[in-house]
Amino acid sequence: MDAFTAGILQRIRNAEQDLHRALESGDDFLAEVEQSELDDLRRLAAEHGIELMPSAPPTAA
């Protein structure tokens, strides 16, 4: 795995965790920001042929 792919995958994992924390804390604005970041990273990965494992959608507690 090259550094670009590893970096994108790590950023996606981080964004998923941040989104989950935002939803758990009830911070709707932060959750929206994190979801946008996650969407952008997934689009970037797709544009570069990086296959992603499906992840469970985050749920609010």
Side-chain angles (χ1 to χ4, degrees):
M1 176 180 315
D2 63 32
F4 177 78
T5 299
I8 291 294
L9 293 174
Q10 182 61 50
R11 288 179 63 195
I12 288 172
R13 283 189 295 273
N14 292 345
E16 288 173 338
Q17 291 171 351
D18 292 344
L19 175 57
H20 183 71
R21 280 192 292 272
L23 290 170
E24 280 184 335
S25 70
D27 189 334
D28 294 335
F29 176 75
L30 183 57
E32 190 172 318
V33 169
E34 294 300 340
Q35 184 63 61
S36 293
E37 174 73 7
L38 189 53
D39 293 343
D40 288 344
L41 289 167
R42 287 178 175 159
R43 177 191 49 77
L44 184 62
E47 288 175 0
H48 290 276
I50 299 171
E51 292 188 33
L52 303 175
M53 298 294 294
S55 59
T59 57

